[in-house]
Amino acid sequence: MSVIDDLRRIREEAQGAIDVAQDESALETLRVRYLGKKGSLALALRGMGQVPPSERPLVGQAVNEARDQVEALLAAAKSRLARAALEAELESTPLDVTLPGRRTALGHRHPLTRTLEDIVAIFQRLGFGVLEGPLIELDFYNFEALNFPKDHPARDMQDTFFVEPESLGALRGRQDVLLRTHTSPVQVRAMLSRRPPLRLIMPGTTFRCDSDPTHSPMFHQVEGLYVDQGVSFADLKGTLDAYAKAMFGDRPTRFRPSYFPFVEPGAEMDMACGVCGGSGQLPGGEPCRTCKASGWVEVMGAGMVHPNVFRACQVDAEKFTGFAFGFGVERIAMNRYGIDDLRLLFENDVRFLEQF
Ligand code: DAH
């Protein structure tokens, strides 16, 4: 039974060697030494020749068992080494699972967008719906229907961007296509497409040939329109005063006569200057620059819808009256956030925008 003894000896020796192996390559060397083609087990099998035939099945079984055992020892050692390696790595580079995760930088809304949203929310609370119109307009909506005379300077190339529609389908070749200079054309679209009562706020982008620290060729306005039976100038004052108080706090307002072709009478609403508190003077006695020492700042243009506008928009001026108003959004945002150059709003420099 010397083969059986050999096998036992080989297995014991293998176990001893595997137990002290330090890494995977040492294990691989041992695998070759014991299980390889020229390994110890293969050599032991050569002794089969001397084994009497009746005992061969028994010896064969013993060889298989020895191989299975050595394989199991190798596999166990391999996973022991892997676990030890992992533990060593965790020890050497400690992982603090209580550290906060890496935050994704979140953007936030532009100061103009926030201002516009606040304005819209106030008018929605006052019962106004929201309507938007196209930025590329026809002269009819931007000027004609709003009672601008044919030779009005606003229609001049110096003030208005005219568009030569090469690729605007049906508009191709027309001379009366422009970038809207105000949001007032949306009033016309509203009246032509809906029946009174109308109570709408119409925010949007507007364009004029203008560029300096307080004017940008692209800017934003909010238009308002209220048309119904019996709408009066008192409604105009009450509504706009309520808006000013909600937007700017409890500051006195006043209405001055003014002229816009699409309203009659026309007015401008002023509000007590937020910088000098309406006195026109700064604490040190010097004149307030914000309101040019007048104590008042302009807030918006407004007025009662002109009968000519109703006529162009097919609204019965005998039956309905209405008021309209319009103002710029940039100036409000600048005032609110203390921005002194309007162009900063459109440069999209995140170092600037991050401050709000
Ligand atoms: N559209 C005018 C502008 O751009 C603002 C304005 C004034 C709008 C009076 C109105 C209004 O609706 O009634 O300067």
Side-chain angles (χ1 to χ4, degrees), residues 148 181-184 187 208 219 221-224 260 262-263 267 300-304 323-327:
F148 280 78
T181 60
H182 51 178
T183 42
S184 305
Q187 286 187 39
R208 279 180 209 176
F219 58 106
Q221 285 191 339
V222 172
E223 192 79 15
F260 301 95
F262 36 92
V263 284
M300 66 172 86
M304 301 306 291
F323 69 75
F325 58 90
F327 56 89

Side-chain angles (χ1 to χ4, degrees), residues 330-343:
E330 277 76 4
R331 193 142 54 88
I332 298 175
M334 289 170 72
N335 208 307
R336 188 182 211 195
Y337 297 111
I339 300 165
D340 56 6
D341 188 335
L342 176 109
R343 291 171 290 196

Side-chain angles (χ1 to χ4, degrees), residues 166-229:
E166 294 292 336
S167 56
L168 295 175
L171 295 182
R172 198 192 171 109
R174 287 178 67 152
Q175 304 294 305
D176 58 345
V177 186
L178 46 84
L179 300 185
R180 67 180 183 189
T181 60
H182 51 178
T183 42
S184 305
V186 193
Q187 286 187 39
V188 178
R189 291 184 175 273
M191 287 188 270
L192 282 172
S193 64
R194 305 171 177 206
R195 293 290 105 203
L198 295 171
R199 190 157 45 191
L200 294 168
I201 189 94
M202 296 156 275
T205 312
T206 48
F207 307 86
R208 279 180 209 176
C209 300
D210 233 347
S211 193
D212 63 51
T214 54
H215 294 91
S216 151
M218 189 269 315
F219 58 106
H220 298 81
Q221 285 191 339
V222 172
E223 192 79 15
L225 178 68
Y226 185 7
V227 179
D228 200 352
Q229 282 175 280

